[in-house]
Amino acid sequence: MSTLIVIAKTPVPGRVKTRLTPPFTAREAALLAAASLADTLQAARQTDAGHRILALDGEPRPSWQDSFTVVPQVSGTLDRRLAAAFQAATRLDPGPVLLIGMDTPQITPVLLHSCLPGDEEDATLGVADDGGFWCLGFRRPRHQDFESLLFDVPMSTDHTGADQLRRLRQAGLRVRLTPTLRDVDVFEDAEHVSTLAPQTRFAARFNALRPLLPAPAGR
């Protein structure tokens, strides 16, 4: 069986999507994060997988526990938290595992299923437009040393995806690159993704909040 991991933060104002402020307020940014997370969880629920894990930084909400095993994120940097999430998955099942974040509400079940590693590769990696990565998967996770694969890969840079790919290949893994997606980090990202995926909760929330934004200076 396969396992899907969603790594996320509870959408608390001031702790999530801080690069959306301004133009949004901290509360509005948290509402957008909540919508993005809801879209992500829905896509994961609708993807054929034996197990689903929500690796969460913060307090869980009851609705999130539907179809998910909620595990707290460990403390430390993102590379450590990613490794711990993969290790949690191996305790549930030895089959293929795919980890995604909460910043790509445009994902679909078809896309997620296609990103799970198959027999022809050891790992999959989805690079993001900003140079990071939005998904990472392993075909045989119990055979991987996640510390050597993930620890000290620089996170949140414009070369994180390239650095992670290099680390995987240096370990001798056959890596398949999945489609490149755009993470929602700043206003322009939110605008782009809401246009790309107008049927999502994220787009509905963005379009509801946009008319409330202050007019640009000079108008």
Side-chain angles (χ1 to χ4, degrees):
M1 289 190 293
S2 58
T3 301
L4 283 176
I5 305 170
V6 177
I7 188 162
K9 286 183 179 181
T10 299
V12 175
R15 293 197 68 240
V16 291
K17 294 291 152 219
T18 55
R19 292 172 63 190
L20 288 175
T21 58
F24 295 105
T25 67
R27 176 182 173 275
E28 290 167 343
L31 290 173
L32 287 167
S36 183
L37 177 56
D39 286 325
T40 303
L41 296 180
Q42 177 177 317
R45 285 190 187 99
Q46 295 174 347
T47 303
D48 185 18
H51 303 282
R52 298 174 188 84
I53 293 173
L54 175 59
L56 187 65
D57 177 1
E59 292 298 316
R61 296 175 184 171
S63 62
W64 299 345
Q65 300 180 57
D66 175 26
S67 305
F68 285 86
T69 299
V70 180
V71 299
Q73 290 184 30
V74 301
S75 59
T77 52
L78 180 56
D79 54 337
R80 267 66 174 171
R81 289 182 277 135
L82 294 177
F86 279 116
Q87 289 160 351
T90 65
R91 292 191 284 271
L92 286 178
D93 195 277
V97 60
L98 181 73
L99 180 145
I100 59 174
M102 60 181 284
D103 300 335
T104 49
Q106 70 270 41
I107 58 172
T108 65
V110 172
L111 175 61
L112 289 183
H113 189 268
S114 73
C115 293
L116 281 161
D119 293 337
E120 301 302 316
E121 62 262 351
D122 302 306
T124 53
L125 179 70
V127 178
D129 278 351
D130 63 2
F133 62 88
W134 70 270
C135 78
L136 177 62
F138 295 97
R139 181 169 63 90
R140 302 172 70 191
R142 287 188 181 174
H143 290 74
Q144 306 304 331
D145 179 353
F146 291 113
E147 293 188 6
S148 66
L149 291 175
L150 292 164
F151 277 20
D152 301 322
V153 172
M155 296 289 162
S156 302
T157 74
D158 60 3
H159 50 81
T160 293
D163 291 340
Q164 185 62 72
L165 178 60
R166 186 178 306 109
R167 182 73 66 87
L168 297 173
R169 287 177 170 165
Q170 286 173 344
L173 300 184
R174 297 169 300 168
V175 183
R176 172 169 60 90
L177 293 175
T178 72
T180 299
L181 295 186
R182 187 162 179 173
D183 282 341
V184 173
D185 289 317
V186 298
F187 178 84
E188 290 76 15
D189 300 330
E191 184 177 46
H192 175 85
V193 170
S194 66
T195 301
L196 181 69
Q199 77 287 356
T200 58
R201 293 178 178 86
F202 180 84
R205 178 65 71 181
F206 177 84
N207 290 327
L209 291 174
R210 187 173 187 173
L212 306 178
L213 295 177
R219 283 193 179 180

